[in-house]
Amino acid sequence: MNPRFPFTPYPRGWFQVAWSEELPAGGVLPLSCFGRELVLFRTEAGEAHVLDAYCPHLGAHLGHGGRVHQGNLQCPFHGWTFNGQGACVAIPHAPKIPPGATLNAWPVQELNGVILVYHAADGAAPEWRVPALPEATEPEWLLAQKKQWRIRTHVQEISENVADPTHFRYVHSALSMPEAELSSEGHVLRMDSKMLQPTPRGPVQGRIQGEAHGLGYWVIRFSGIADVAFISAATPVGPEHVSLRHTFFIRAPTQPGGSNNVGKALVAEILRQVEEDIPIWENKVYRPKPLLSAGERAIPVLRHWSRQFLEG
Ligand code: FES
Ligand SMILES: [Fe+2]
């Protein structure tokens, strides 16, 4: 256990491991996540699979030189071949496949342009699925931008940032302290907040709504000034490191030749705010019993909800 964070670095839940477009049909990618080495591959028919990376034969990493062949993944070292469920289906020049020639297969969900893997320390099956995001497919929305950071922190800290109204004023120079209402239902947490945002026409009241499905997958929607929706996906990669990926969708211009510059400026502002959070996240510790002031009621609500993923 890391002394900065008094709980497991690898909570239970769905976590993004790649963007869909990084993995063409027949593609193979090595992954380092949850303190493990994994391999992600896509069959010729388009299905994505994730397996433990090290071959049960002599230990080659299947993500470095492995090849997809007829829906299976072939080891680069001696050609043992595995299906998407991790079973060895062929060994060159060997009539028999030995028992135990299997790799652990991880639950995968691919939607909204992202590939997610379900992690549970005990290997339990997923208890929920991540829902489809209408903005990812509706023609009136455009994929605007994607951005990834590697940050020395814990995924809990990144979720907690959403429920921390005071920091928006001090870290992000917001014009006012946002009022955030949080409510939880099982693995889902919802946040609704209003905040004054600067625009060339003066401050405008904006609305931010967030929905988390576990600690690894948030959808955040801005409205009021411009319509922006984004996926914020924090994935624990090592005991003290998180890979954070943001995928932004903005509403397309309503008039032909119209502009979505306001939406693009809001995306740039959100990216700027992440960069402002990073030095705080990288150097802080987690206080299990924080001294909270008035107006910080959302933090204990978030912590109570997140406990289910961090324990057991
Ligand atoms: S190490 Fe994979 S086939 Fe030998
Ligand atoms: Fe922040």
Side-chain angles (χ1 to χ4, degrees):
M1 198 160 290
N2 188 302
R4 290 173 67 206
F5 310 111
F7 32 62
T8 174
Y10 310 121
R12 191 164 50 84
W14 289 99
F15 297 97
Q16 184 179 350
V17 295
W19 278 290
S20 295
E21 63 181 38
E22 290 176 273
L23 190 70
V28 179
L29 285 176
L31 304 177
S32 295
C33 305
F34 324 118
R36 311 273 293 259
E37 284 296 305
L38 311 176
V39 56
L40 167 65
F41 71 98
R42 194 188 293 288
T43 63
E44 296 90 337
E47 227 175 288
H49 296 285
V50 172
L51 305 176
D52 277 351
Y54 295 122
C55 182
H57 179 218
L58 282 165
H61 194 306
L62 288 150
H64 293 276
R67 281 180 296 268
V68 174
H69 183 61
Q70 295 180 344
N72 299 315
L73 180 63
Q74 188 174 49
C75 179
F77 207 2
H78 315 93
W80 288 30
T81 300
F82 303 88
N83 65 17
Q85 290 68 51
C88 181
V89 291
I91 298 178
H93 316 297
K96 214 167 150 268
I97 294 167
T102 57
L103 288 164
N104 184 41
W106 295 66
V108 173
Q109 203 188 349
E110 180 170 16
L111 79 175
N112 308 330
V114 305
I115 301 174
L116 304 155
V117 164
Y118 188 81
H119 172 266
D122 58 2
E127 288 170 18
W128 77 88
R129 311 278 292 174
V130 167
L133 182 70
E135 290 89 341
T137 48
E138 285 172 358
E140 52 272 30
W141 288 80
L142 305 169
L143 172 64
Q145 198 167 340
K146 300 186 309 219
K147 173 101 182 170
Q148 181 173 8
W149 302 264
R150 181 181 164 86
I151 307 169
R152 182 178 159 261
T153 187
H154 189 288
V155 291
Q156 167 71 24
E157 299 282 18
I158 294 177
S159 275
E160 212 167 285
N161 195 73
V162 175
D164 175 354
T166 331
H167 97 284
F168 284 96
R169 184 87 180 85
Y170 292 93
V171 179
H172 304 313
S173 316
L175 297 177
S176 68
M177 216 98 91
E179 295 158 36
E181 290 297 326
L182 258 65
S183 61
S184 70
E185 201 183 328
H187 70 275
V188 178
L189 183 78
R190 291 192 178 84
M191 182 273 294
D192 198 339
S193 91
K194 293 191 180 67
M195 190 173 8
L196 270 187
Q197 284 166 325
T199 75
R201 290 167 286 143
V204 171
Q205 183 83 259
R207 186 171 184 197
I208 309 171
Q209 290 164 290
E211 189 177 301
H213 295 258
L215 286 167
Y217 189 91
W218 277 87
V219 172
I220 298 177
R221 293 181 171 93
F222 282 69
S223 53
I225 302 169
D227 291 325
V228 169
F230 69 101
I231 300 167
S232 174
T235 303
V237 293
E240 225 188 335
H241 282 93
V242 169
S243 181
L244 178 64
R245 291 175 179 88
H246 281 186
T247 309
F248 292 94
F249 302 92
I250 58 180
R251 194 182 280 282
T254 41
Q255 312 286 341
S259 137
N260 47 20
N261 287 346
V262 182
K264 285 182 184 158
L266 183 53
V267 171
E269 171 62 16
I270 296 164
L271 294 174
R272 188 187 67 82
Q273 294 197 6
V274 176
E275 309 280 345
E276 289 174 333
D277 284 319
I278 288 173
I280 305 274
W281 287 333
E282 294 209 316
N283 296 292
K284 78 184 289 296
V285 297
Y286 179 90
R287 290 271 189 226
K289 294 195 171 77
L291 299 168
L292 296 176
S293 65
E296 293 179 320
R297 290 184 320 270
I299 293 177
V301 175
L302 183 134
R303 287 187 171 194
H304 177 78
W305 165 80
S306 66
R307 210 175 297 152
Q308 62 183 306
F309 313 109
L310 293 161
E311 291 169 356

